[in-house]
Amino acid sequence: MLTQLSCHFFNQTCPFCFDVFRFPKAPFRCGNLSCPGRTPDPELKSHWPMMAAGAQGKVLNPSASKRGQVVCDACQRPSKDRICPTCHVTLPSTFGQCPNAIIAVIGAKNSGKSHYIATLVEEIRNRVGPMMNVTLSPQDDFTIQRFARDFRDPLYNKRRALDVTASGVRDANVRLPMVFNLQFGGKDLFGRRKITRTITLVFFDTAGEDLNSEATMATVNRYIYRSSGIILLLDPRQIPHVRGLLPDPPDPGEVMIDTRDILSRTAKLIRNGRGMGPNRMIKTPLAVAFSKFDELESIVDGSLTVLTSRSAGQYDAAEAIAVSDEIESLLASWQQGGLVHELRSWFSTVAFFGVSSLGCKKNPDETLPRLDPRRVEDPFLWLLYRLGYVKAAR
Amino acid sequence: MNIEQMVYTSCKRGIGAGPGFQTQATSPGLTWEHRFELEQLQAYRYPRGLPTNPTPQDIRRYCPPNYQLTQFTDGHTAVTRSAYAGADYSGRRGNFIAHSLVLPPVSDIWPIDLSLWGEWRETVTDEPPQLNAIDPSAVRIASPSLDFASLASFIREKADRFERLAVMLDALLSSRVANRPVIIRDSVANLTGWLGCLTKLLPRNMSPCFTFASFVNSQLAGVDIQCTTPDSDLKISSEELDYRAFAFDLVDERFSNVASAKDSCGHILAGKLRDTPDWFHSFHHFSERFSFEPDSDRLQCLLTCFALADGGSSIPPQSCERIPDAIGFAGSALRQDEDGNSMISRLVERAVQIAKTAPAERLRVSEGLRKLATTASSPQFRSVAVHSSVRLIHDELLDGGANWRPLLSKLDDIAREMDFRHSELQSLLLRSDVLKQIAVAHQNAPEHMQHLLHFLAMRAERTNASSAGISQAFRDALASLIAATSHAKIVGPLLAVTAESGGQRAFCELCIELADGTSDASICDAVGMGVANALDHAFASNASEVRQSLIKQDQLGILLLELNYRSKNVNANFGGFLDCLSSLRKSLPRRRKAELVPVVVAAWRNASRDTRDGIATWLFSHSDIVAEIDSKVAGEMIGVMAAQIPLDRFDRQASALANTVQKLCKVARCDAPVQIPLRVFLENLCRGRTRSLTEVHSAWSALGPQVDPSTGSAVVAQSLFPLLAMTRVPKEHIGVLEWACSVGGQEGVGVEYRRVLKSKEFANISPDAAGAFVVATLAVGAPSSALERLLECANQELDSWLHSLSGKSYAELNRYVRSYQKELSKDKINEWSARRTRADCKRRSLLGRILRFVGLRVYLLLF
């Protein structure tokens, strides 16, 4: 109730174009396909041309709304679909009724961002969710189709590695967010089941090459400075010291990308986007996750927490701190103290994690011998914890 | 200009900032803007049904290359071949290679033909390839399968393909208006044929052109024609089918509803492809002169232009309807060069030829010329519009000129659009040789001549709007016209035209000019007719002013000519004749008043009966004219005048008129009409100068008149009461009624008799007259004759008459009736007693008294 009330008085952020607006001023769109008032929407076409094919429903003035709906003056049918005043994309149905959390997953080329998102969502939906009484469900048709087509089906059904992500410059679908609802279940005073909280989660998958230049980031990855939490994926095999330790180093084709450059651009993008001065630290929580951690088992101590234990039914803050300390010490041993120092000097809230999206090494033909994700939910739960959506186990 | 190239793929090294998807190489001449726009093209997405380890056959089946035509904002077009490239440098699948060719704005290469180009890059290399600009002539296009003959055979291959193609073309032409792209789902082998038909049947120079993609895996934005295969991920939902796209699913036989008439562009073009594929060579050669936005209306205009330019074939009726739009379209879409100038001249010439043979098309053609002048930016095009409009007007005038006004209006619009000088337009329009030719053609058709003169006058007026009179241009044109035709035939139309367009002053000037020193009777008649027509129509509201103007200028002769003309047509416009006659009567000096007499006589002779009544009425106030007329005609006039005098003895004006007539009779030395002695007879009767019925009888016998029924009715109306009041015995009463019936007719007498009986005066007649009335009334038996029916009516009125009698009269009446007891039957006596008793009771009752009292008061109040 408080969230619904607050959305009338505080600015909301469009999860598509990231412009800020007051929710009551968001227009409606008539959803009747046979409405005679359907016309092309130039605003939608200029922002999202792939969504603007054909005529769109009539844009209705929000001042005529009653009880959250407006009657279309062309077809006399009520509509509840709100659109963003700027880009005219239909907003999620729960928009304005629950808090939004934009989660940006960034990282260098081949750092495993797409695999991480795919396994994170599936792990929450199938393993972590039932344990924590949490439900993650896609919000709209686009999310359902895209997640199924580009993430779940290849990885879980066909058991093969995901395709390379096309650049957001070339593929507008990449720029579109995947919107999920995260529902927290509980019980009331009488022991009846109820939904205690709902969060709209917005995930962005991005192509690594889109983080290679500041200009591209500013146009394709504007969502980063609007995000509530950032998951930075690092491929430890791209650290020169680690490459030297590994018995089976990665293909020479995978050129080492300096993650510190990406980090620098991200910090600059956030500072510019939010209008922050150079002396202020970025308060967005940053989860630095080392992907493909299963491939490091041979070169790290086997008793490390990050390798031995798995998440329980609740978020364990102490374990997260322990894992973070372990990774930080590993980085120091891999001569990456500078990276840690930069992270801590730019971001006020940083934690380190080790994850493995696939849990195994890919076959040469890109198929997977098995799929065993490890600790992929850790960075995500830590972000939710830092954002105040979940509580730590006592 | 050369063709520039670019390759985009996922590679280790390229032009981008790092490894990954990026532009791998470009030719040196590719601009940054074109590169930027090509990088924005939609990525190639392969179908998810592709097996994990695909064979080359699988790739050919699932992943056909996508040939995509895009148009840049600067007008250039690019054809991009995107193809599945398997794994990228890092071993991950999903890579593709997009090889783009940027075509120059003006190119004779059909984009779809480039799908057969053999130099497309199909594999990704580690090192960026060396790309160079290509000479268009060096682009080797082996296109045997995409010429019009092969496309025609593709359409003829299946029976339903012709109709499908026609509907597809119509859908494509309306796709941008409806915001619904055309989606075609068919096998890979057929898609090229469909794309070839859709793109090669339409003119190449349409801008922006229709873009296409030969294979899409999901719907693309901004691409007009999107083709897909049965194995792709793109599923055509019912929403796409009905609302979002014009979908043609040839695999599952599902199609969107598209409005496509049998004479639509789609059907025309598809029919041409099926029947005469070579027609497209000449059509495309013709259409290369045009540049326009693609839509159905403009394409129809282009087809009409092609039909116009192709003078050998006849223009279909539906194309004639589009001639205005087609000419306007040609003005805006034709390239403005020498070829364009000659083409627009040819098109307009052909349209004018059509208008020459079909006058009904002239307005359409002129509308087209107006559009041409409005839309064309080339002064040569506009000049063609002006000259052709002038020709249209001349043709119209030569054919009768019913529509020259709207044509001239159009020409004026054109001239205004072009800031064309009036003198130039004047010299074009008023060419004396053309006018002479027109005048000679219509010298025996006054209406057509009037059109011509109207045209001249209006043109002159517009030329010099500030001048009040007829401008010099008009005079010059008129001079040539008069020289071409006989003078008299042009006078009437000329005066009418001048009156309508030149104003009062110009009209008067022209009248004077025409009538001055003319002795030719035909011209005089024509002037009279012209003046009369002008005053009746153009100066209908201020005819008297015009006459006064002419009178002030001492041009009474013109008015006399007018009067002469009007006297011959007096029945047609008697009011105009009287006005003219009155004006002249007032204005003519005494010595010239005699000139009116023959005109009046002529009018009298030409006049009908009603008109003669009118003339007679006028003559009452102008009786001096009658005195100068021949006695025979004067007698006729006096007779008609006398017939108009009412016999009412209380009408003093009638008495004065009667005196006038009597005097005229003396002057004209003719017998007085019968109405005059009748009036004397009635005067004597009503004023009591005739005191007995015997005197009346002798006076009437002396008159011996044969009065007509209307006069007889008037005589009866005037004389019935005094005659009835004179009666003393019932026989006299009956005798008066018999006389009245013989003079005024039975019906008229019945009405008059009843009126007299109900009158107040009849209640106060002498007791003898009253007794005669009562006894005559009582004596009547069963009504068998007209007279008895009259008395029967009187019998019915007897009770009310008795009630209105005064007490004294009542008693005397009673005595009178008793004196006739012997002559009346017993039943009649009893009847009279009963009536008398009843009337007495009624008279004596309080109500009866009150009613009589009130009735008396009301009578007094009213009268």
Side-chain angles (χ1 to χ4, degrees):
Chain A
M1 178 62 77
L2 275 175
T3 310
Q4 290 181 23
L5 200 61
S6 66
C7 75
H8 284 75
F9 300 101
F10 297 102
N11 287 337
Q12 303 288 314
T13 303
C14 170
F16 296 90
C17 67
F18 308 106
D19 269 13
V20 176
F21 62 94
R22 285 282 176 88
F23 187 68
K25 293 188 177 180
F28 290 77
R29 188 188 292 286
C30 177
N32 180 11
L33 282 171
S34 57
C35 174
R38 288 172 69 86
T39 52
D41 191 336
E43 295 295 330
L44 183 66
K45 192 171 185 179
S46 64
H47 286 84
W48 304 103
M50 69 287 192
M51 293 175 130
Q56 306 297 317
K58 188 174 184 183
V59 177
L60 307 172
N61 191 341
S63 62
S65 68
K66 282 182 181 174
R67 296 183 180 179
Q69 64 182 22
V70 172
V71 175
C72 174
D73 52 2
C75 65
Q76 306 302 322
R77 288 202 189 175
S79 172
K80 291 183 176 179
D81 298 341
R82 293 262 191 182
I83 59 173
C84 168
T86 306
C87 67
H88 282 201
V89 174
T90 303
L91 296 169
S93 60
T94 54
F95 193 84
Q97 297 173 12
C98 55
N100 295 327
I102 298 172
I103 308 293
V105 180
I106 61 175
K109 183 86 176 165
N110 288 332
S111 59
K113 299 179 286 297
S114 301
H115 288 97
Y116 176 73
I117 289 176
T119 51
L120 172 65
V121 170
E122 283 300 301
E123 284 290 290
I124 293 172
R125 293 182 77 176
N126 298 321
R127 189 178 62 80
V128 181
M131 284 197 298
M132 296 181 66
N133 200 6
V134 167
T135 308
L136 187 68
S137 55
Q139 172 72 34
D140 51 27
D141 282 349
F142 173 78
T143 305
I144 294 170
Q145 290 168 6
R146 187 179 171 209
F147 185 76
R149 187 187 64 216
D150 292 347
F151 296 90
R152 189 186 58 218
D153 287 352
L155 198 60
Y156 282 84
N157 297 341
K158 295 183 178 176
R159 290 298 171 124
R160 62 172 174 81
L162 297 181
D163 290 344
V164 59
T165 306
S167 166
V169 177
R170 188 90 174 186
D171 192 347
N173 286 331
V174 175
R175 298 205 300 269
L176 277 172
M178 290 183 286
V179 185
F180 293 87
N181 268 354
L182 187 67
Q183 289 178 340
F184 293 87
K187 289 186 178 178
D188 63 7
L189 289 172
F190 304 102
R192 294 178 299 195
R193 288 181 290 111
K194 72 164 191 174
I195 297 170
T196 55
R197 169 175 274 183
T198 303
I199 303 167
T200 303
L201 279 178
V202 183
F203 283 106
F204 280 96
D205 183 22
T206 187
E209 52 264 45
D210 290 343
L211 301 169
N212 286 348
S213 82
E214 207 170 293
T216 311
M217 279 184 80
T219 53
V220 180
N221 301 324
R222 285 176 61 209
Y223 64 89
I224 292 176
Y225 71 81
R226 292 282 184 192
S227 54
S228 311
I230 300 170
I231 298 175
L232 171 65
L233 285 179
L234 292 169
D235 185 355
R237 301 176 308 161
Q238 294 178 358
I239 297 171
H241 189 82
V242 177
R243 287 166 66 92
L245 295 175
L246 282 173
D248 184 15
D251 297 337
E254 299 183 34
V255 179
M256 173 66 193
I257 303 296
D258 196 344
T259 306
R260 288 160 79 166
D261 293 342
I262 293 175
L263 204 57
S264 168
R265 289 190 203 102
T266 304
K268 190 176 179 184
L269 182 70
I270 293 173
R271 285 181 188 282
N272 290 340
R274 295 185 179 177
M276 297 170 68
N279 297 331
R280 291 184 61 189
M281 294 188 75
I282 298 167
K283 292 185 177 174
T284 306
L286 174 69
V288 182
F290 282 87
S291 60
K292 305 171 188 174
F293 210 78
D294 58 300
E295 294 191 32
L296 303 183
E297 285 178 352
S298 59
I299 60 169
V300 296
D301 185 1
S303 61
L304 288 176
T305 312
V306 67
L307 292 178
T308 55
S309 65
R310 294 181 71 109
S311 298
Q314 276 187 307
Y315 172 70
D316 192 340
E319 186 188 86
I321 292 169
V323 169
S324 180
D325 290 344
E326 285 174 1
I327 300 292
E328 201 173 335
S329 62
L330 278 175
L331 281 170
S333 66
W334 293 336
Q335 299 168 5
Q336 293 294 318
L339 173 67
V340 176
H341 176 69
E342 283 180 2
L343 287 169
R344 293 217 180 272
S345 60
W346 289 334
F347 292 86
S348 60
T349 313
V350 180
F352 296 90
F353 302 92
V355 299
S356 175
S357 301
L358 304 178
C360 63
K361 193 171 183 181
K362 293 182 283 186
N363 295 328
D365 62 351
E366 293 287 298
T367 54
L368 303 174
R370 65 177 188 281
L371 191 59
D372 183 22
R374 294 181 195 174
R375 287 187 171 273
V376 288
E377 71 276 13
D378 282 3
F380 175 69
L381 291 176
W382 176 78
L383 286 177
L384 292 184
Y385 169 70
R386 297 306 304 183
L387 294 171
Y389 297 135
V390 295
K391 292 177 182 174
R394 294 177 182 174
Chain B
M1 290 180 70
N2 288 333
I3 298 173
E4 303 293 342
Q5 303 184 72
M6 181 182 126
V7 171
Y8 181 95
T9 187
S10 174
C11 53
K12 276 190 282 190
R13 277 184 294 279
I15 302 175
F21 278 108
Q22 58 186 312
T23 300
Q24 193 182 24
T26 68
S27 58
L30 187 75
T31 63
W32 183 88
E33 290 83 5
H34 287 168
R35 180 189 149 196
F36 179 77
E37 289 197 47
L38 286 172
E39 283 178 346
Q40 310 283 320
L41 285 181
Q42 184 69 20
Y44 183 91
R45 300 172 73 86
Y46 67 88
R48 294 295 152 182
L50 183 71
T52 304
N53 295 308
T55 61
Q57 289 79 10
D58 289 335
I59 291 174
R60 274 198 296 276
R61 176 186 167 191
Y62 287 94
C63 307
N66 174 29
Y67 295 95
Q68 185 171 349
L69 173 68
T70 49
Q71 186 156 32
F72 299 126
T73 48
D74 63 355
H76 284 71
T77 52
V79 178
T80 301
R81 181 188 185 276
S82 304
Y84 177 73
D88 70 351
Y89 66 95
S90 63
R92 293 173 67 184
R93 288 188 0 156
N95 194 13
F96 65 92
I97 178 167
H99 185 186
S100 302
L101 297 183
V102 179
L103 304 176
V106 180
S107 166
D108 58 350
I109 300 172
W110 289 97
I112 189 64
D113 285 346
L114 286 174
S115 63
L116 301 170
W117 188 47
E119 304 295 327
W120 291 109
R121 302 194 73 82
E122 296 178 0
T123 53
V124 182
T125 54
D126 289 340
E127 294 302 319
Q130 185 72 34
L131 297 177
N132 296 313
I134 310 170
D135 186 359
S137 60
V139 174
R140 184 167 48 84
I141 304 166
S143 58
S145 63
L146 281 183
D147 60 4
F148 291 111
S150 61
L151 292 175
S153 61
F154 169 75
I155 290 302
R156 292 190 205 112
E157 220 169 81
K158 281 190 178 178
D160 63 339
R161 278 188 182 169
F162 163 73
E163 188 62 28
R164 294 275 170 254
L165 175 63
V167 178
M168 277 181 197
L169 282 166
D170 284 329
L172 180 61
L173 288 169
S174 60
S175 61
R176 289 191 179 165
V177 180
N179 288 290
R180 295 169 69 177
V182 173
I183 298 177
I184 304 169
R185 185 164 177 259
D186 204 347
S187 62
V188 179
N190 290 339
L191 284 178
T192 311
W194 288 119
L195 260 183
C197 289
L198 284 177
T199 55
K200 292 189 82 167
L201 298 200
L202 298 175
R204 193 162 24 197
N205 292 350
M206 293 197 294
S207 178
C209 59
F210 285 115
T211 54
F212 63 80
S214 65
F215 171 72
V216 293
N217 197 38
S218 60
Q219 202 173 329
L220 299 183
V223 179
D224 298 305
I225 312 167
Q226 302 179 24
C227 301
T228 190
T229 60
D231 296 316
S232 76
D233 295 338
L234 177 61
K235 304 299 175 204
I236 298 174
S237 66
S238 57
E239 283 184 16
E240 257 87 30
L241 211 62
D242 297 335
Y243 301 105
R244 297 190 192 280
F246 291 121
F248 298 88
D249 188 347
L250 295 151
V251 178
D252 295 337
E253 295 287 323
R254 295 161 70 226
F255 305 101
S256 297
N257 285 327
V258 182
S260 176
K262 290 297 174 192
D263 61 344
S264 64
C265 287
H267 279 86
I268 293 171
L269 293 174
K272 292 286 184 189
L273 179 69
R274 183 188 56 185
D275 302 332
T276 52
D278 289 340
W279 177 86
F280 283 94
H281 292 293
S282 55
F283 175 62
H284 287 317
H285 178 67
F286 172 80
S287 64
E288 277 172 5
R289 302 176 178 92
F290 294 81
S291 176
F292 58 96
E293 288 181 22
D295 68 19
S296 182
D297 290 340
R298 290 187 176 91
L299 193 57
Q300 287 278 16
C301 288
L302 181 69
L303 287 168
T304 307
C305 286
F306 184 62
L308 274 176
D310 187 14
S313 61
S314 60
I315 303 291
Q318 66 269 25
S319 295
C320 282
E321 291 174 10
R322 298 194 183 98
I323 282 177
D325 293 332
I327 294 175
F329 161 79
S332 59
L334 257 177
R335 265 191 266 123
Q336 295 170 7
D337 51 16
E338 282 193 13
D339 189 29
N341 291 342
S342 65
M343 180 51 67
I344 196 79
S345 303
R346 192 169 149 198
L347 292 175
V348 171
E349 177 69 26
R350 178 77 178 130
V352 171
Q353 277 178 7
I354 290 170
K356 192 160 191 158
T357 53
E361 301 295 330
R362 260 175 213 145
L363 283 174
R364 280 185 189 160
V365 175
S366 69
E367 175 60 20
L369 294 173
R370 192 189 66 75
K371 286 182 179 174
L372 173 64
T374 309
T375 54
S377 54
S378 163
Q380 284 82 7
F381 287 13
R382 293 174 166 199
S383 175
V384 169
V386 171
H387 285 84
S388 302
S389 290
V390 169
R391 276 189 58 193
L392 278 184
I393 292 170
H394 285 160
D395 287 347
E396 181 66 22
L397 288 171
L398 202 58
D399 288 347
N403 285 326
W404 67 267
R405 279 174 193 272
L407 288 172
L408 188 62
S409 167
K410 292 277 189 313
L411 176 60
D412 281 336
D413 289 346
I414 294 169
R416 198 180 309 117
E417 286 286 340
M418 300 174 54
D419 293 330
F420 212 78
R421 278 182 298 166
H422 279 297
S423 58
E424 290 174 300
L425 203 56
Q426 198 71 26
S427 62
L428 283 172
L429 274 169
L430 303 181
R431 277 176 53 194
S432 58
D433 54 336
V434 179
L435 293 181
K436 273 183 188 172
Q437 185 189 352
I438 297 168
V440 169
H442 296 306
Q443 58 180 338
N444 293 322
E447 191 184 343
H448 295 176
M449 187 66 80
Q450 194 160 332
H451 282 151
L452 176 61
L453 286 164
H454 263 301
F455 165 74
L456 290 174
M458 186 170 284
R459 197 62 250 152
E461 186 188 10
R462 290 185 188 189
T463 306
N464 191 1
S466 59
S467 70
I470 304 168
S471 68
Q472 188 61 38
F474 179 67
R475 286 174 188 278
D476 295 344
L478 201 59
S480 64
L481 199 59
I482 289 170
T485 180
S486 62
H487 193 180
K489 286 176 182 171
I490 206 172
V491 168
L494 179 60
L495 281 171
V497 168
T498 312
E500 282 182 15
S501 55
Q504 182 178 328
R505 187 176 164 188
F507 175 73
C508 292
E509 283 177 8
L510 185 64
C511 286
I512 294 163
E513 191 177 331
L514 289 170
D516 193 22
T518 303
S519 57
D520 188 350
S522 60
I523 291 178
C524 288
D525 287 346
V527 169
M529 182 189 73
V531 172
N533 287 336
L535 294 181
D536 286 347
H537 298 107
F539 299 119
S541 58
N542 59 341
S544 58
E545 282 180 32
V546 177
R547 287 199 182 96
Q548 287 303 320
S549 171
L550 287 169
I551 288 164
K552 282 178 187 172
Q553 297 178 54
D554 199 18
Q555 294 299 325
L556 293 168
I558 293 172
L559 293 185
L560 271 173
L561 291 176
E562 182 203 349
L563 190 63
N564 265 323
Y565 170 75
R566 287 187 185 280
S567 69
K568 291 171 190 166
N569 302 287
V570 66
N571 293 323
N573 187 3
F574 178 63
F577 172 75
L578 270 191
D579 290 343
C580 183
L581 187 58
S582 302
S583 302
L584 275 172
R585 171 85 184 151
K586 283 181 198 167
S587 314
L588 273 177
R590 186 180 294 274
R591 59 187 164 78
R592 291 187 66 184
K593 281 195 192 301
E595 293 179 30
L596 292 179
V597 174
V599 181
V600 173
V601 171
W604 181 264
R605 283 179 180 154
N606 294 329
S608 64
R609 183 184 179 84
D610 293 340
T611 313
R612 284 190 173 190
D613 287 345
I615 295 174
T617 306
W618 182 81
L619 285 174
F620 275 121
S621 53
H622 305 90
S623 53
D624 52 332
I625 289 182
V626 182
E628 298 176 21
I629 296 174
D630 175 53
S631 60
K632 189 183 173 186
V633 178
E636 287 178 13
M637 289 178 174
I638 290 167
V640 176
M641 289 166 74
Q644 291 182 3
I645 302 170
L647 292 173
D648 187 1
R649 61 193 167 90
F650 298 111
D651 191 341
R652 290 185 178 180
Q653 192 182 359
S655 301
L657 294 177
N659 290 336
T660 308
V661 170
Q662 276 181 329
K663 287 176 191 173
L664 282 175
C665 288
K666 285 178 189 173
V667 171
R669 294 173 187 171
C670 59
D671 295 334
V674 70
Q675 282 82 3
I676 304 303
L678 260 181
R679 283 191 63 82
V680 176
F681 166 75
L682 290 173
E683 191 82 14
N684 292 337
L685 183 66
C686 295
R687 296 200 173 181
R689 291 172 194 158
T690 310
R691 298 193 176 185
S692 69
L693 286 176
T694 313
E695 288 179 25
V696 171
H697 180 67
S698 57
W700 181 256
S701 302
L703 275 174
Q706 292 295 322
V707 293
D708 57 286
S710 61
T711 312
S713 298
V715 170
V716 168
Q718 295 290 320
S719 60
L720 190 58
F721 173 72
L723 287 173
L724 288 176
M726 280 182 199
T727 56
R728 293 293 179 267
V729 292
K731 197 176 178 182
E732 289 178 351
H733 190 93
I734 293 168
V736 167
L737 288 179
E738 283 175 345
W739 171 82
C741 285
S742 65
V743 173
Q746 292 172 5
E747 288 184 7
V749 171
V751 174
E752 195 58 35
Y753 187 46
R754 195 165 290 171
R755 187 186 66 78
V756 168
L757 293 182
K758 286 181 179 176
S759 67
K760 199 69 180 176
E761 291 84 357
F762 197 70
N764 297 323
I765 55 175
S766 69
D768 289 345
F773 160 64
V774 170
V775 172
T777 308
L778 287 173
V780 70
S784 57
S785 65
L787 183 64
E788 286 174 344
R789 277 196 292 275
L790 276 177
L791 292 170
E792 179 63 22
C793 291
N795 199 357
Q796 291 171 6
E797 297 289 335
L798 191 60
D799 287 342
S800 59
W801 180 76
L802 283 172
H803 181 253
S804 61
L805 279 181
S806 65
K808 189 180 173 183
S809 304
Y810 194 78
E812 289 177 359
L813 176 65
N814 201 17
R815 278 198 296 277
Y816 186 94
V817 174
R818 279 179 186 172
S819 67
Y820 276 86
Q821 276 187 348
K822 294 176 184 173
E823 296 170 18
L824 292 171
S825 65
K826 194 175 181 180
D827 292 343
K828 297 293 179 186
I829 297 295
N830 291 339
E831 184 189 341
W832 164 249
S833 301
R835 283 187 161 188
R836 182 176 55 81
T837 308
R838 196 162 56 238
D840 201 31
C841 293
K842 194 175 176 185
R843 283 168 53 76
R844 287 171 188 275
S845 69
L846 180 61
L847 184 62
R849 289 181 182 185
I850 291 170
L851 286 175
R852 275 196 297 154
F853 179 76
V854 172
L856 181 65
R857 290 291 178 277
V858 170
Y859 179 79
L860 290 174
L861 275 173
L862 290 175
F863 302 103

